[in-house]
Amino acid sequence: MAIEKKGMSAYEAERERTVEENKRKMEALNLRHLSAAVAPKTPSPMKHKRRRIIEAATPVPSPPRRSRRLAHIPEVKYADVGEDSERVGRWSPRRRSGSIYLAGGGGGPISMKARMEAASKAEELESQLDPEFPSFMKRMLHSHVVRGFWLGLPSHFCDTYLPKNDCTITLVDEKDEEFESKYLAYKKGLSGGWAGFALDHVIRDGDSTVFQLIKPTTFKVHIIRAAVGDDNNEEME
């Protein structure tokens, strides 16, 4: 047993004796040499994670989606339109107000007189229809058949005869061909499907139509064409 050093507390002396005793035990068991023999001479190399290389996918162009009702209409390629092609300008006070130029469909200008005559014929046709089936007359405007293709229906007619919820309205032309359109009850008008009907029947800004409700959700549509002429002598009053 080692003698306590001078000035060392009892705790420190006990700790010193324990350390010396542990050293003697380790020497007796030869633990230092054994651990050196077991320990690997060279550290094991770190495993490198293999990076996954993701090749950039080449986008495959897909053809534009078109309505089935417009599939038979040739696609317009705007790149083929030359700079000298005829463009539709805005209305100007210097122009003759009796002529309204179409943005599509061709056929030339339609005078205000021709518009009024078409509307008068439509009213006459409506008066000859069976009163058992409610009907109304609608003059075609630029927003109906050229840009936007939104057809608002008379509010009182919608409230009285048409469903209160959105539904599919069938449009039947004079050849009894049927076209489906989307009726929006809260807006009281036709949206999806009306564009296909208007384009398929080449309805122009200036024509008039008569809608006859032959079934709860089916309209018979009569189209009265506005005459295209050279009557462009009407000036703005």
Side-chain angles (χ1 to χ4, degrees):
M1 184 73 65
I3 302 174
E4 296 182 2
K5 294 181 180 181
K6 186 177 180 180
M8 184 179 298
S9 65
Y11 170 77
E12 291 176 345
E14 181 66 24
R15 182 175 178 274
E16 186 73 16
R17 286 193 296 270
T18 303
V19 171
E20 292 297 331
E21 186 178 354
N22 289 338
K23 285 182 179 181
R24 287 195 299 272
K25 291 180 179 179
M26 291 179 64
E27 291 293 337
L29 296 174
N30 199 20
L31 293 179
R32 290 183 180 180
H33 302 285
L34 181 61
S35 61
V38 174
K41 295 182 180 181
T42 58
S44 59
M46 296 179 61
K47 294 183 179 179
H48 297 282
K49 294 184 178 180
R50 183 178 298 178
R51 295 182 179 180
R52 185 174 58 180
I53 301 176
I54 302 177
E55 298 181 357
T58 304
V60 180
S62 58
R65 298 177 60 184
R66 304 187 68 194
S67 172
R68 289 179 296 176
R69 291 188 290 272
L70 304 180
H72 65 283
I73 300 177
E75 182 178 358
V76 179
K77 296 182 179 180
Y78 295 98
D80 299 337
V81 180
E83 296 181 356
D84 299 332
S85 59
E86 184 178 357
R87 296 182 179 180
V88 179
R90 295 183 178 180
W91 180 84
S92 171
R94 298 180 181 179
R95 296 185 180 180
R96 296 177 178 178
S97 60
S99 301
I100 299 178
Y101 294 85
L102 303 179
I110 295 179
S111 66
M112 186 59 67
K113 180 181 178 181
R115 289 169 169 266
M116 299 301 294
E117 289 178 352
S120 178
K121 292 180 181 178
E123 292 175 351
E124 182 180 357
L125 173 62
E126 183 187 7
S127 64
Q128 297 173 358
L129 297 177
D130 189 347
E132 181 181 353
F133 302 101
S135 61
F136 63 88
M137 189 270 288
K138 187 75 176 178
R139 299 180 184 181
M140 295 293 102
L141 303 177
H142 187 275
S143 61
H144 299 155
V145 296
V146 177
R147 182 169 297 175
F149 292 96
W150 166 255
L151 184 66
L153 306 182
S155 179
H156 69 278
F157 190 94
C158 297
D159 294 337
T160 306
Y161 301 107
L162 296 183
K164 306 303 180 185
N165 300 320
D166 296 354
C167 65
T168 299
I169 294 289
T170 302
L171 305 177
V172 182
D173 61 13
E174 296 173 345
K175 296 181 180 179
D176 292 333
E177 294 184 2
E178 297 183 353
F179 297 78
E180 291 184 350
S181 63
K182 183 66 176 180
Y183 172 67
L184 302 181
Y186 71 101
K187 285 189 174 182
K188 299 179 181 178
L190 300 181
S191 179
W194 163 250
F197 182 88
L199 293 173
D200 189 78
H201 294 82
V202 197
I203 302 177
R204 301 168 304 167
D205 177 12
D207 293 343
S208 291
T209 55
V210 176
F211 287 76
Q212 185 182 23
L213 191 65
I214 58 177
K215 293 181 181 180
T217 58
T218 302
F219 276 116
K220 179 79 172 183
V221 184
H222 304 271
I223 304 172
I224 295 83
R225 309 286 182 181
V228 179
D230 298 328
D231 188 7
N232 299 326
N233 298 322
E234 300 176 7
E235 299 294 335
M236 181 176 180
E237 296 182 359

